[in-house]
Amino acid sequence: MDWKNNQSESHKKIIVLGGDGFCGWPTSLHLSNVGHDVTIIDNLSRRNIDNELEAESLTPIQPMGTRLQAWEEVSGKKIRFCNIDIADEYEKLLQVINEEQPDVIVHFAEQRAAPYSMKSPQHKRYTVNNNINATHNVLCAIVESGRDIHLVHLGTMGVYGYGTAGMKIPEGYLNVEVKTEQGERIEQEILYPTNPGSIYHMTKSQDQLLFFYYNKNDNVRITDLHQGIVWGTNTKETKLDDRLINRFDYDGDYGTVLNRFLMQAAVGYPITVHGTGGQTRAFIHIQDTVRCIQLAIENPPARDERVMIFNQMTETHRVKDLAELVSEMTDGDIAYVTNPRKEAAENELHVENNLFLSKGLEPITLSNGLLQEVTDIAREYAYRADLSKIPATSTWTKEQKPGMPEQNTNETADDA
Amino acid sequence: MDWKNNQSESHKKIIVLGGDGFCGWPTSLHLSNVGHDVTIIDNLSRRNIDNELEAESLTPIQPMGTRLQAWEEVSGKKIRFCNIDIADEYEKLLQVINEEQPDVIVHFAEQRAAPYSMKSPQHKRYTVNNNINATHNVLCAIVESGRDIHLVHLGTMGVYGYGTAGMKIPEGYLNVEVKTEQGERIEQEILYPTNPGSIYHMTKSQDQLLFFYYNKNDNVRITDLHQGIVWGTNTKETKLDDRLINRFDYDGDYGTVLNRFLMQAAVGYPITVHGTGGQTRAFIHIQDTVRCIQLAIENPPARDERVMIFNQMTETHRVKDLAELVSEMTDGDIAYVTNPRKEAAENELHVENNLFLSKGLEPITLSNGLLQEVTDIAREYAYRADLSKIPATSTWTKEQKPGMPEQNTNETADDA
Ligand SMILES: NC(=O)c1ccc[n+]([C@@H]2O[C@H](COP(=O)([O-])OP(=O)(O)OC[C@H]3O[C@@H](n4cnc5c(N)ncnc54)[C@H](O)[C@@H]3O)[C@@H](O)[C@H]2O)c1
Ligand SMILES: NC(=O)c1ccc[n+]([C@@H]2O[C@H](COP(=O)([O-])OP(=O)(O)OC[C@H]3O[C@@H](n4cnc5c(N)ncnc54)[C@H](O)[C@@H]3O)[C@@H](O)[C@H]2O)c1
């Protein structure tokens, strides 16, 4: 393989929090591949949630030990792993930071499924407790370590809300005009006022306040990536060995919309659209996710700069259009069912993503034959699918009944 | 005593969370006095923090058992008490809600001192964990109970930040103009973009997102009271019996600015101004706090109304002016020391408080002889004072050195 291509300018020490997950695993491999020194921290909670939900990745992901050994065999590079709950084991987290002396911490380690966060009071409470303490512990430990560490965090497009009244969604900050007491108009730049769509999204809005505060008080360098819905499963690195295969979620809680459609079509299940399908969402391919994180690491904000916010997405689509695209490609049927979410039936979405484009991202789009690649993987592992796990059963309020056939309804199981 | 005066129109069942605290205790007595049925929940963490800090209320507050017995003797009314950690014991909290079937929950139960929240990584982490889980558990339990409960929460003026660029601080919501993609200007009302001044204040900004979300998703009725710095100690009800006496904090972590000045003057300690004293703060007397909460309870938002936000303050003052006022009144000296906070040396503050005025609040102001009353109480209990606890020792960053004499500096130990 081509080790020189894409080699990072300067070698950095990087800790990847949540490096066993869907985005974190391929990111860790990519960063290792381009020459950085990577340590993964993960408490394997996502695998434990699979146990709880009696659901599994469609792809046969390997235990961390096997993954890391395969990577060493394939690449000659070592990635270290520490099993730490960063929300609960602050002292251990701090110790790893003090030992590794990282230049960068990439933070994926949160509960990231909106439907899971709405499942029950217990799931709501777990999500808030896990995500807020995880993010706060990282910030607190960075300050306590006394080191100038760049924190790169994965946020979501979902904090913006989906009703934007003709406005293009800016990258985190919004210019507004306000009136003074004297009736004068002054222009101010503010954090985009969030309108989160679930408890999960709400924790990401709360994270933003933590970043704002630690950046202001302690000058912590922070990049917050407001990511769209990730689709695809493999990257250049995960394809190098079967044992490196990435997670593929298709269940009603963790499966995200486009991957679910492709999987449903591949296993002959109706393509399940929640509501009318009039919702518009932002998307990014997993290969671009790992590339964006590399770009974010290579372009840190200055020490006295405010939190840098990028919209990490490459295109927007209406859910209904995606269902029709997949249906045409695969001859699958579409089933409209009631929407378990509480949201507008239809919305427009215009998003700025100039920051990543200006740093050199060349977006991968839906048309590039990658839809076929996902379908092929889904077909290959169709024998592992448990079709009973496909329906989304978590609802946003007690009054809602999920999964009923409906005339006008849209896909819900995305996390963005 | 006068039971008919101020009698509440309709008898309500009320749970007061944090009802053992400085604001919560007199509020519980007042609500009981005007005819409501009151249950207090508190985990006594504030008393335990006194143990940790080796500090104590200047006034000899009594154990909860003694307090409640005294109240029953004086008023003939029973207040129930449950020792529950609402951040940690969700099931117990839910059980009390299901048993008591309250109409209203008043929520004071958070760690409320900015300096304490900045003391060390452990104190930062405790404050975030305690405050966010406390507020989230209450909201989650209200929804799980299935009851239409009005939540009245104590927030702080401190979420607004102190640099307002000639703007009058509105009650929670701000009118702004934004540009659409077509260059059109549209007016929108947004949550006032917060600029919290400490980890403590940051948790109150995060609380606002929780309120916004639960109000939107579950139609929970919520009133959020953005309170100024509370001064004074006794209220009509706490004066009825020595055993009902309210807490009076004067230490560097929990003491708030005006009460600290009055206490310092009373015990012959220099009136300690942090920084230049050019900071302007918002104030309210404890008697008005309890009255405002009664007004908030009697004027709930409608079921489908957004979160109602009141600025709960009656006047603003520059810290330096207060120090001079107290110095003149008591002949005490003023000492300027370095500011342990990270904040602007000087600021203006103009605040709207029309909502409470429109509901009938008649503000108590500094001039009403109440300053003298506080001084008298401080003199009466001066023998209990530990002067070594007066200096503020928590700093906002490691680089800051607290308590050094300085030419240009301002009071810090307030929580608002
Ligand atoms: N997948 C998407 O479509 C998408 C879209 C937008 C944003 N994001 C964000 O990207 C991040 C990663 O998402 P993902 O899809 O890889 O999720 P994932 O659940 O697959 O990975 C998260 C990883 O973090 C770990 N983790 C969680 N809590 C932890 C804790 N307290 N201590 C240690 N480890 C912990 C989990 O075990 C898991 O391996 C998330 O923060 C998510 O919000 C993802
Ligand atoms: N005192 C002020 O000047 C002031 C100003 C603005 C806002 N406020 C707000 O008003 C509220 C009350 O302030 P206060 O001055 O009475 O503070 P306090 O510390 O005297 O009272 C808070 C009470 O809540 C209890 N508590 C804390 N965490 C708890 C938990 N997890 N479970 C159960 N009980 C818990 C404490 O034991 C304490 O009795 C706070 O939320 C504070 O932020 C106070």
Side-chain angles (χ1 to χ4, degrees), chain A residues 34 63 80 124 136 160 208 228-229 235 253 292 326 347 353 360:
Chain A
V34 298
R80 276 170 306 282
K124 292 178 186 175
H136 185 237
Y160 294 119
Q208 286 200 276
I229 299 172
T235 59
D253 285 310
C292 281
V326 174
N347 70 293
N353 64 343

Side-chain angles (χ1 to χ4, degrees), chain B residues 161-164 169 276-282 317-319 343-350 410:
Chain B
Y162 294 120
T164 51
I169 291 187
T276 61
Q279 307 94 317
T280 307
R281 295 286 193 261
H317 292 283
R318 284 209 309 170
V319 169
E343 62 181 1
E346 317 255 327
N347 72 291
E348 297 276 319
L349 189 63
H350 299 260
N410 185 10

Side-chain angles (χ1 to χ4, degrees), chain A residues 255-274:
Chain A
T256 55
V257 57
L258 180 49
N259 273 6
R260 259 165 72 86
F261 286 177
L262 292 164
M263 179 276 181
Q264 290 167 341
V267 302
Y269 194 94
I271 298 167
T272 315
V273 175
H274 294 168

Side-chain angles (χ1 to χ4, degrees), chain B residues 14-53:
Chain B
I14 302 176
I15 294 179
V16 179
L17 307 171
D20 187 44
F22 170 57
C23 298
W25 173 241
T27 299
S28 300
L29 295 184
H30 180 68
L31 296 176
S32 174
N33 194 9
V34 298
H36 297 300
D37 178 6
V38 176
T39 298
I40 288 175
I41 294 182
D42 202 297
N43 68 343
L44 308 183
S45 52
R46 181 66 194 83
R47 294 180 188 242
N48 296 340
I49 289 173
D50 269 351
N51 294 340
E52 173 203 340
L53 299 176

Side-chain angles (χ1 to χ4, degrees), chain A residues 66-352:
Chain A
T66 311
R67 283 181 152 186
L68 297 182
Q69 197 186 323
W71 181 242
E72 199 179 339
E73 287 169 28
V74 166
S75 72
K77 309 200 179 204
K78 262 196 203 302
I79 292 178
R80 276 170 306 282
F81 169 59
C82 309
N83 184 329
I84 295 174
D85 183 340
I86 65 162
D88 200 44
E89 300 179 303
Y90 176 78
E91 296 302 333
K92 287 194 195 168
L93 170 65
L94 180 64
Q95 197 185 327
V96 176
I97 293 174
N98 284 335
E99 282 166 14
E100 296 292 331
Q101 311 217 330
D103 306 297
V104 180
I105 296 179
V106 187
H107 172 28
F108 294 100
E110 295 183 83
Q111 192 299 98
R112 71 103 174 125
Y116 185 83
S117 78
M118 301 304 288
K119 240 184 154 46
S120 77
Q122 181 202 327
H123 293 90
K124 292 178 186 175
R125 296 177 49 244
Y126 166 73
T127 302
V128 169
N129 185 59
N130 185 67
N131 294 5
I132 300 310
N133 282 316
T135 299
H136 185 237
N137 281 349
V138 176
L139 290 162
C140 202
I142 288 175
V143 173
E144 190 170 3
S145 79
R147 292 184 57 81
D148 179 12
I149 298 168
H150 175 205
L151 179 66
V152 177
H153 170 257
L154 274 286
T156 160
M157 287 294 307
V159 294
Y160 294 119
Y162 295 120
T164 52
M167 272 173 51
K168 196 158 181 177
I169 291 187
E171 307 211 63
Y173 299 93
L174 180 67
N175 273 313
V176 300
E177 264 190 27
V178 291
K179 267 207 203 118
T180 66
E181 278 191 80
Q182 288 71 39
E184 217 184 311
R185 284 166 180 286
I186 49 174
E187 214 172 275
Q188 300 232 310
E189 200 170 36
I190 62 171
L191 256 181
Y192 192 96
T194 63
N195 183 10
S198 72
I199 289 289
Y200 154 70
H201 294 101
M202 201 271 317
T203 63
K204 296 279 182 176
S205 301
Q206 292 182 313
D207 281 349
Q208 286 200 276
L209 294 170
L210 285 163
F211 298 140
F212 173 82
Y213 184 73
Y214 274 88
N215 171 263
K216 174 175 86 160
N217 196 66
D218 302 285
N219 297 324
V220 180
R221 297 182 206 245
I222 299 167
T223 304
D224 197 11
L225 305 172
H226 289 190
Q227 190 170 239
I229 299 172
V230 183
W231 66 284
T233 177
N234 277 326
T235 59
K236 211 177 82 185
E237 289 85 9
T238 65
K239 277 184 230 165
L240 293 174
D241 188 297
D242 275 355
R243 293 168 296 168
L244 298 176
I245 198 163
N246 197 21
R247 173 178 276 284
F248 190 127
D249 294 316
Y250 65 92
D251 63 283
D253 285 310
Y254 279 88
T256 55
V257 57
L258 180 49
N259 273 6
R260 259 165 72 86
F261 286 177
L262 292 164
M263 179 276 181
Q264 290 167 341
V267 302
Y269 194 94
I271 298 167
T272 315
V273 175
H274 294 168
T276 62
Q279 306 95 316
T280 308
R281 297 285 192 262
F283 292 88
I284 183 167
H285 189 272
I286 185 73
Q287 183 68 61
D288 277 346
T289 289
V290 307
R291 175 85 180 112
C292 281
I293 288 162
Q294 181 190 351
L295 289 171
I297 289 170
E298 289 168 1
N299 295 279
R303 179 78 179 166
D304 55 359
E305 202 174 326
R306 69 173 183 195
V307 177
M308 209 179 231
I309 300 175
F310 292 70
N311 289 338
Q312 184 163 315
M313 51 71 70
T314 55
E315 51 192 329
T316 61
H317 293 283
R318 283 209 311 169
V319 169
K320 192 186 167 87
D321 297 340
L322 290 181
E324 283 164 5
L325 184 72
V326 174
S327 165
E328 271 165 39
M329 200 178 100
T330 59
D331 269 343
D333 292 337
I334 300 178
Y336 289 89
V337 300
T338 49
N339 190 352
R341 299 192 179 210
K342 196 162 165 179
E343 64 182 0
E346 317 255 330
N347 70 293
E348 298 277 320
L349 189 63
H350 300 259
V351 182
E352 268 178 26

